[in-house]
């Protein structure tokens, strides 16, 4: 295995660590990618003084959503303190990385870079960084109060498709560019949540990585540089405030003297660029070219590894955290498990077992009957309503219970395939599908049928955090003059941890 060939010591003596999450999570892996330590800090219960719910403050307008910056800082204090109290040997850590929730932003006060360099190891971070932020509560990904700013950006740029062509997404309320435009607060440096967290460990302002930077509506995803026209339409002097963008495997520098003296990190421990939680998850699941990850939850989410992206106004294209020549596409659907539960209640007496049995017994293609089920306004595409069509392509009011169940599931998965291919995804004989939270096998079988590809299960907990521990090793390996393409953690180890559960596809669907 290439990784073992690179490590000059016994891999078990070297540890790679990552920190990330809504709660703060810590995962440490050894040189063989085995998890050797985990810890977490729950924001609401362990930091009650910040009075958050789900780690956030939802404001009176129900649109503005923020998180206290010092809560994140104090969580890092607690997390590292827990590890120290548990006897974790920080001297074994060779590199660290992490992820933060995408689309959040942090606004530093003038002079804080020097404060970060001169931190007193006898005091906690949250003591030392009191009053060092121009905006005490950071806007986060849940904030949707920036419609006006999004409309302004799209108008200035020539429309939503033009914004998508450059940045990978049309202007979205939850994206960082519109948040910056709304905050409109003077700050010499603006970080993402990810680069903010890296800064705390690096002891100076950290650069924004390509992947998280591509979720801002400010970066050209092809040149991987800030787009001047987007910056100009957002805020003055923004390029200087954001700093440079860097590849996701970049070693930003050694861990700060503060952490060396307070916790015992080695002086040569490297800080690898932090990224967003979605790119972190792609790395944590060890996806590779041709793979699809599907999360089936309240909202359904699809991750795709793409070589030749075609940005549209529906869906997102981000830079890839593992392969600098590839991209990561993300699709989100609001009508997910809640819609499936409604049909289960109406057509299967509230029983998943009956629902499952119906899926097994009804034919692939549902005898030509299809349905579109948008109980609430959908994200991809922005539409609402339930629409059913029979095998003569005529709209009908309803289906028998058995056909209703299969029409729902096939319709949801056909939409995922359709939008994936619009973004540039190409199904091939190498395509593999990984359901992250599939409820039961029949759903996965339909997924396999629709995509004409095998479906696998993979046991990955805390995928974003785990992925960034992998990325820490990735960055350290790159620094040792090995190319990213020689790393095998994206393929071979995953195949050792898989259980194939879904058969070969029926090759029925084609779009």
């Amino acid at each position: 295995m290439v990784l073992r060939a690179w490590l000059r010591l016994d891999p078990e003596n070297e540890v790679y660590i990552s920190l990330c999450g809504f709660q703060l999570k810590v995962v440490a892996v050894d040189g063989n990618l085995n998890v050797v330590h985990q810890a977490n800090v729950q924001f609401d219960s362990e930091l009650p003084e910040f009075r958050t719910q789900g780690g956030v403050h939802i404001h009176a307008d129900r649109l503005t959503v923020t998180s206290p910056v010092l809560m994140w800082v104090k969580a890092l204090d607690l997390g590292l303190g827990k590890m120290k109290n548990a006897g974790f040997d920080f001297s074994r850590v060779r590199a660290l990385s992490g992820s933060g929730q995408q689309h959040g932003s942090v606004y530093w006060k003038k002079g804080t870079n020097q404060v970060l360099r001169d931190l007193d190891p006898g005091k906690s971070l949250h003591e030392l960084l009191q009053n060092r932020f121009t905006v005490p509560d950071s806007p986060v990904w849940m904030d949707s109060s920036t419609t006006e700013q999004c409309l302004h950006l799209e108008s200035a740029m020539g429309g939503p498709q033009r914004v998508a062509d450059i940045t990978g997404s049309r202007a979205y309320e939850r994206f960082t560019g519109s948040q910056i435009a709304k905050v409109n607060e003077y700050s010499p440096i603006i970080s993402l949540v990810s680069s903010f967290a890296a800064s705390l460990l690096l002891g100076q302002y950290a650069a924004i990585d390509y992947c998280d930077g591509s979720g801002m509506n400010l970066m050209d995803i092809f040149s991987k540089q800030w787009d001047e026209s987007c910056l100009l339409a957002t805020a003055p002097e923004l390029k200087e405030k954001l700093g440079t963008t860097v590849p996701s495997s970049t070693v930003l520098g050694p861990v700060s003297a503060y952490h060396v003296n307070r916790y015992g990190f080695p002086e040569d421990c490297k800080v690898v660029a932090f990224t967003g939680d979605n790119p972190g998850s792609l790395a944590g699941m060890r996806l590779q070219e041709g793979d699809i990850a599907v999360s089936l939850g309240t909202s359904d989410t699809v991750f795709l590894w793409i070589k030749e992206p075609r940005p549209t106004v529906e869906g997102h294209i981000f830079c890839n955290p593992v392969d600098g020549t590839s991209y990561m596409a993300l699709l989100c659907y609001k009508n997910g498990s809640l819609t499936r539960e409604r049909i289960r209640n109406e057509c299967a007496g509230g029983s998943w077992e009956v629902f499952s049995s119906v899926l097994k017994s009804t034919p692939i293609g549902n005898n030509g009957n299809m349905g579109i089920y948008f109980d609430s306004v959908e994200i991809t595409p922005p539409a609402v309503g339930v629409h059913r069509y029979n095998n003569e392509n005529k709209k009908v009011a309803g289906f028998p219970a058995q056909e209703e169940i299969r029409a729902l599931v096939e319709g949801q998965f056909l939409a995922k395939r359709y939008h994936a291919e619009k973004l540039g995804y190409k199904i091939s004989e190498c395509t593999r599908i990984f359901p992250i939270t599939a409820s039961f096998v029949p759903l996965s079988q339909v997924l396999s049928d629709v995509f004409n590809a095998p479906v696998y299960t993979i046991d990955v907990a805390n995928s974003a955090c785990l992925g960034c521990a992998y990325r820490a090793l990735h960055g350290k390996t790159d620094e040792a003059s090995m190319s990213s393409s020689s790393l095998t953690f994206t393929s071979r180890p995953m195949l050792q941890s898989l259980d194939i559960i879904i058969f070969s596809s029926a090759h029925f669907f084609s779009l």
Side-chain angles (χ1 to χ4, degrees), residues 182 235 267 275 394:
K182 182 192 171 189
E267 292 184 356
T275 192
K394 293 181 179 178

Side-chain angles (χ1 to χ4, degrees), residues 176-191:
T176 324
S178 60
Q179 293 177 352
I180 292 171
K182 182 192 171 189
V183 169
N184 198 25
E185 178 76 29
Y186 176 76
S187 177
I189 293 292
I190 300 173
S191 293

Side-chain angles (χ1 to χ4, degrees), residues 390-436:
N390 63 18
N391 56 11
E392 296 179 350
N393 202 28
K394 293 181 179 178
K395 193 167 185 177
V396 296
F399 294 132
Q402 289 189 326
E403 292 180 350
E404 189 86 40
I405 289 172
R406 180 163 282 274
L408 165 71
V409 177
E410 286 187 348
Q412 288 184 327
F413 292 163
L414 280 167
K416 291 170 176 54
R417 175 172 172 176
Y418 171 73
H419 289 108
E421 292 184 333
K422 277 187 67 177
L423 286 171
Y425 184 79
K426 298 176 181 177
I427 295 174
S428 71
E429 61 183 15
C430 298
T431 295
R432 302 181 303 173
I433 305 171
F434 301 93
I436 302 169

